[in-house]
Amino acid sequence: MEIKIEIEKNKIIESLHIMSAHLGKQLQAVDIVASCDDDLQRIEPMWYAAVTALSMLLVPYSHLTLEEDKVIYNLKMPANWKSEQLDNLVKHCEVYLQNALFANWLVYVSPENAQFYRALNNEGAASIEHILSLRRKPA
């Protein structure tokens, strides 16, 4: 069974702007912690690192295709994979990318907070691996 997971780059980067602004406001350091569109050159390698980390989780099922405005994970799943879990898998992948990108950003602006989001992603990775392993019982 072949499935495709498409994730829009701008959606993930927008979530980075929102999350970093919120944390910056809490830390009373918005000008230091918050990202904005002016930071896109700095964010680009962080984006690729997050995309690659997710790709490693989806191995051996996935083939990665990077486009300018989105990332596509083409998955070839076993025939007995529980396909009703696709929406759940897509959402988990989006959240994983959001947290990975945010953690990568925090390494440079607030390293003490980066570890929290890396830990969140460890839980997210376990959830993704669990969804990938779900199978239907043999008939």
Side-chain angles (χ1 to χ4, degrees), residues 19-88:
M19 293 166 75
S20 63
H22 179 68
L23 181 62
K25 190 174 181 181
Q26 288 181 332
L27 298 175
Q28 297 179 344
V30 174
D31 54 331
I32 297 169
V33 177
S35 65
C36 64
D37 286 336
D38 292 343
D39 296 308
L40 290 179
Q41 188 173 359
R42 288 177 59 194
I43 293 170
E44 195 72 17
M46 297 175 204
W47 161 253
Y48 288 120
V51 165
T52 302
L54 179 56
S55 181
M56 297 307 293
L57 281 176
L58 299 174
V59 167
Y61 307 107
S62 171
H63 171 73
L64 172 66
T65 304
L66 277 170
E67 296 185 2
E68 189 171 322
D69 60 341
K70 63 185 168 185
V71 61
I72 302 169
Y73 296 97
N74 296 298
L75 280 72
K76 187 164 178 73
M77 300 302 292
N80 65 340
W81 182 69
K82 291 187 174 183
S83 57
E84 59 272 12
Q85 291 293 324
L86 179 58
D87 290 340
N88 199 14

Side-chain angles (χ1 to χ4, degrees), residues 65-137:
T65 304
L66 277 170
E67 296 185 2
E68 189 171 322
D69 60 341
K70 63 185 168 185
V71 61
I72 302 169
Y73 296 97
N74 296 298
L75 280 72
K76 187 164 178 73
M77 300 302 292
N80 65 340
W81 182 69
K82 291 187 174 183
S83 57
E84 59 272 12
Q85 291 293 324
L86 179 58
D87 290 340
N88 199 14
L89 178 61
V90 170
K91 186 62 181 165
H92 275 76
C93 288
E94 287 177 350
V95 170
Y96 184 90
L97 281 178
Q98 289 170 351
N99 287 336
L101 183 59
F102 191 40
N104 290 344
W105 174 260
L106 289 175
V107 165
Y108 295 103
V109 298
S110 181
E112 62 278 3
N113 290 301
Q115 191 57 36
F116 174 74
Y117 285 91
R118 293 208 189 282
L120 274 180
N121 257 6
N122 289 339
E123 293 177 21
S127 295
I128 290 170
E129 289 170 346
H130 174 73
I131 294 169
L132 291 172
S133 70
L134 294 174
R135 305 284 188 269
R136 288 190 181 85
K137 292 181 181 179

